Amino acid sequence: MGKTFLLLFARAASLEIWNGMHRSIAIGRDHEINLHLLQIDGSYATRLWGSSIGLARWLTEDFEVLNATEVALELGSGSGLVSLALAKVGAAQKVVATDIDSSSLALIQQSSFLNHVQVSTELLNICGAEPLPSADIVVASDVLYTESLAEGLAARCIEALDAGSQVVIGDPGRPGRRTLIEALMAAGEGFISCSGERRFVDWFEPNAERRRTSMSRSERLLLLHVDARSEE
């Protein structure tokens, strides 16, 4: 069966409270849950990026459709906002945050303590050869900075989907986005491109016959595009 990808473009709302290294972000269906996040602006890995806010909110508003009943895995977690949000709303029984930077994982552990949630952490390189931990849903936000990262993420997408996982990617339009799409299409993977205003817009499918059998996988990848001003 073919693998299908959903690409969603939307704008993330602004932050509610800014207080030094601590931010309080409203998540959930009606933004009724406040999530406390620690972040350090001096590091890419420990800084909060706007696309993480948009992805965390999209996931926590509609997390029932994700079917992430057991394990959710985040790649390139950075500040860990997405992982923390999934844990906060109970979208998965276990949430695992991964990153190549150990300082990121240490910060996530502190943030999980502040939010009274459990988030496991593991060192993992998106471009590495080690297999992904088993998960029902694999998420990543704003990791497409280079072509090599994009190629690595494309391989991880295929690996996760082959294992039966859903895949959700958040991206504000980084240089590697085109490389990711080209790598997926070169591998024969289909995807749906859509926006926040219009759910389904365009279908990109290299194999028309495969399209008829892959519609059930049409929400396996979410690419959330965030306006650059949301990162200011």
Side-chain angles (χ1 to χ4, degrees):
M1 178 179 293
K3 305 165 192 73
T4 310
F5 298 85
L6 171 69
L7 288 87
L8 177 69
F9 296 85
R11 179 183 301 232
S14 60
L15 299 172
E16 274 66 62
I17 301 172
W18 163 238
N19 182 20
M21 292 173 57
H22 170 267
R23 295 191 183 194
S24 180
I25 302 165
I27 61 171
R29 179 168 289 106
D30 298 311
H31 292 183
E32 76 282 9
I33 301 173
N34 283 322
L35 190 68
H36 305 291
L37 185 78
L38 296 174
Q39 63 115 29
I40 302 173
D41 285 338
S43 167
Y44 280 108
T46 56
R47 175 181 172 183
L48 175 62
W49 298 92
S51 56
S52 295
I53 303 168
L55 179 54
R57 284 180 168 162
W58 190 90
L59 290 171
T60 57
E61 287 172 358
D62 299 295
F63 69 88
E64 290 91 346
V65 303
L66 299 176
N67 298 318
T69 56
E70 294 186 15
V71 182
L73 172 70
E74 184 178 12
L75 306 178
S77 300
S79 66
L81 174 60
V82 175
S83 289
L84 292 163
L86 290 172
K88 191 70 174 180
V89 301
Q93 296 178 21
K94 180 180 180 180
V95 178
V96 182
T98 69
D99 203 283
I100 196 173
D101 191 325
S102 59
S103 62
S104 162
L105 303 182
L107 200 65
I108 293 170
Q109 286 294 332
Q110 295 179 55
S111 291
S112 64
F113 175 79
L114 285 176
N115 289 281
H116 307 287
V117 298
Q118 289 189 341
V119 175
S120 300
T121 56
E122 292 185 24
L123 281 171
L124 188 139
N125 185 352
I126 291 175
C127 299
E130 67 271 41
L132 291 178
S134 177
D136 299 289
I137 179 172
V138 177
V139 300
S141 181
D142 208 350
V143 296
L144 300 174
Y145 285 94
T146 66
E147 287 191 5
S148 60
L149 275 171
E151 291 169 353
L153 186 60
R156 293 300 195 181
C157 287
I158 296 170
E159 177 186 356
L161 289 172
D162 283 344
S165 305
Q166 291 178 288
V167 181
V168 181
I169 306 299
D171 178 68
R174 300 297 182 193
R177 175 178 170 270
R178 174 51 55 186
T179 300
L180 171 69
I181 292 173
E182 290 176 349
L184 293 172
M185 295 190 73
E189 308 294 352
F191 61 87
I192 294 175
S193 175
C194 61
S195 69
E197 293 75 26
R198 293 178 297 165
R199 182 78 182 206
F200 297 106
V201 179
D202 296 309
W203 182 281
F204 297 88
E205 177 55 70
N207 187 320
E209 182 65 26
R210 175 182 293 180
R211 173 177 178 176
R212 290 198 294 271
T213 64
S214 60
M215 288 299 289
S216 63
R217 299 172 71 117
S218 64
E219 292 189 356
R220 289 298 178 93
L221 173 64
L222 165 68
L223 178 57
L224 182 67
H225 183 87
V226 182
D227 189 284
R229 288 172 295 180
S230 66
E231 296 182 359
E232 295 178 352

